[in-house]
């Protein structure tokens, strides 16, 4: 037995935790490496260390062993984390499930952090991380459209370009107050990049409180309008856009005359508001089909239509 390895009875099964401890990595990393999960940025040196530890300890996950007996695992796991999508998320899941079914595979959708026990037991054919997918402008699933990566930056540019076409040059990017997550940071960065590409002044970030009290929302919108620094708001999502619209009425203001407002990732309620919310519709179904094909090792093909488009209503 190699040095550093503890004695083990032949009848005692080696666990994923044993491999993780031996390789000095997390159990999730072991699972990603041994299952060759796509989309994981794990250094090759770490991968080698994990494979060596697994081989030395004789580790075979139960799920993998079962898949080998039955054939290839026919489950693809979609990890949505804490992502709160609009219609695009529903479309992505439905289309991904349908595309996988065409190839005799099933889709398992999980929220939050995926437990290692699930990866060990299910042994999925592939794991698709939605958080990484939405932020990756260079990935195979995202692809390219109109000569640019068709990821989050593409949709943000769609949003700002519409406002620019309506004659707005002074634009604010409204984000949910207190949310310092990577998706908010990415949206702000993409907005800054899009403004530069469109020849606009830098966007003005503004925090919008989505809590129960309307006072802070009204204060934020009042400052924007009274200062005269912006004429339009590009919102992080439809919820934030509706919060901005709700803050206008108590101030005696109205969109788009006093402040144009455009949402993002079309939700279910924007069309019911007055004025009806102009927003960006993202083709979630297109991404779902592409994600399924990439997970199965198939060519997703080119985009033959735009991945996002503005739904023009009354607010902008």
């Amino acid at each position: 037995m190699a040095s550093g390895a503890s004695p083990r009875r032949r009848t005692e099964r080696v666990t994923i935790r044993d491999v993780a401890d031996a390789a000095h990595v997390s159990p999730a990393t072991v699972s990603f490496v041994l299952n060759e999960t796509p989309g994981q940025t794990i250094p090759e040196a770490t991968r080698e260390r994990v494979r060596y530890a697994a081989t030395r300890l004789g580790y075979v996950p139960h799920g993998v062993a079962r898949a080998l007996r039955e054939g290839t695992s026919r489950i693809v796991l979609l990890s949505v984390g804490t992502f709160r999508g609009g219609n695009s998320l529903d479309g992505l899941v439905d289309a991904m499930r349908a595309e996988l079914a065409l190839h005799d595979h099933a889709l398992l959708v999980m929220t939050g952090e995926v437990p290692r026990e699930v990866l060990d037991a299910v042994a999925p054919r592939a794991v698709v991380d939605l958080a990484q997918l939405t932020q990756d402008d260079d990935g195979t699933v995202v692809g390219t459209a109109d000569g640019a990566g068709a990821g989050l930056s593409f949709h943000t540019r769609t949003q700002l370009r519409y406002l620019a076409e309506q004659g707005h040059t002074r634009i604010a990017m409204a984000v949910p107050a207190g949310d310092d997550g990577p998706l908010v940071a990415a949206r702000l960065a993409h907005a800054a990049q899009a403004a530069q590409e469109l020849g606009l002044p830098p966007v003005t970030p503004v925090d919008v409180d989505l809590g129960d009290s309307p006072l802070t929302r009204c204060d934020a919108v009042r400052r924007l309008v009274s200062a005269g620094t912006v004429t339009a708001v590009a919102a992080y999502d439809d919820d934030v856009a509706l919060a901005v619209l709700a803050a206008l009425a108590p101030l005696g203001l109205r969109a788009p005359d006093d402040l144009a407002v455009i949402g993002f990732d079309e939700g279910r309620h924007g069309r019911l508001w007055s004025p009806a919310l102009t927003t960006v519709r993202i083709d979630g179904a297109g991404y779902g089909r592409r994600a399924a094909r990439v997970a199965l090792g198939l060519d997703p093909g080119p985009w033959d239509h735009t991945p996002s488009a503005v739904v023009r209503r009354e607010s902008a």
Side-chain angles (χ1 to χ4, degrees):
M1 181 175 294
S3 61
S6 59
R8 182 179 297 278
R9 297 190 304 273
R10 298 179 66 88
T11 56
E12 187 178 349
R13 186 175 74 91
V14 178
T15 68
I16 194 171
R17 172 64 68 181
D18 296 325
V19 178
D21 291 344
H24 304 293
V25 297
S26 69
T29 298
V30 172
S31 182
F32 290 146
V33 171
L34 297 184
N35 288 322
E36 298 183 356
T37 303
Q40 302 299 319
T41 55
I42 301 173
E44 186 58 34
T46 302
R47 294 178 181 271
E48 291 287 345
R49 196 164 69 247
V50 169
R51 296 188 191 104
Y52 174 77
T55 301
R56 178 168 61 84
L57 295 175
Y59 173 71
V60 179
H62 276 181
V64 173
R66 181 168 58 253
L68 289 174
R69 289 195 302 271
E70 299 175 355
T72 304
S73 172
R74 293 186 175 272
I75 294 175
V76 172
L77 191 152
L78 173 64
S79 172
V80 300
T82 58
F83 185 77
R84 54 171 195 174
N87 289 336
S88 66
L89 180 57
D90 293 339
L92 184 147
V93 170
D94 290 344
M96 193 173 179
R97 181 177 286 115
E99 183 70 23
L100 288 172
L102 292 176
H103 302 278
D104 297 321
H105 280 68
L107 178 67
L108 174 62
V109 181
M110 296 200 65
T111 59
E113 184 177 354
V114 180
R116 61 183 177 84
E117 293 85 357
V118 171
L119 292 172
D120 191 13
V122 175
R125 168 75 178 267
V127 176
V128 178
D129 185 347
L130 186 61
Q132 185 173 22
L133 171 62
T134 56
Q135 297 179 56
D136 187 357
D137 278 342
D138 300 316
T140 306
V141 173
V142 168
T144 59
D146 297 332
L152 195 60
S153 65
F154 185 97
H155 311 317
T156 304
R157 189 162 54 250
T158 297
Q159 187 184 36
L160 265 66
R161 183 172 59 237
Y162 173 81
L163 292 177
E165 289 171 349
Q166 306 311 304
H168 297 285
T169 59
R170 295 170 294 160
I171 300 171
M173 170 60 71
V175 298
D179 188 340
D180 57 355
L183 200 54
V184 170
R187 289 278 281 124
L188 288 170
H190 292 321
Q193 177 185 354
Q196 184 177 25
E197 292 174 355
L198 294 168
L200 299 172
V203 297
T204 302
V206 57
D207 291 335
V208 176
D209 191 343
L210 300 182
D212 294 334
S213 174
L215 296 179
T216 53
R217 286 193 295 274
C218 289
D219 286 343
V221 172
R222 181 189 293 109
R223 286 193 297 270
L224 281 179
V225 177
S226 62
T229 54
V230 302
T231 62
V233 168
Y236 171 80
D237 60 13
D238 273 18
D239 286 349
V240 173
L242 290 174
V244 173
L245 289 178
L248 288 175
L251 298 174
L253 305 174
R254 184 173 174 82
D257 297 339
D258 300 299
L259 187 69
V261 180
I262 182 172
F264 188 83
D265 192 12
E266 183 187 22
R268 296 171 178 82
H269 307 299
R271 61 186 175 83
L272 304 177
W273 197 265
S274 180
L277 179 65
T278 297
T279 189
V280 174
R281 177 180 293 161
I282 298 172
D283 181 16
Y287 287 103
R289 288 188 292 270
R290 295 176 65 86
R293 293 185 64 81
V294 170
L296 298 179
L298 302 174
D299 183 0
W303 282 99
D304 57 6
H305 58 283
T306 182
S308 60
V310 172
V311 179
R312 184 171 186 174
R313 297 192 180 115
E314 301 170 348
S315 67

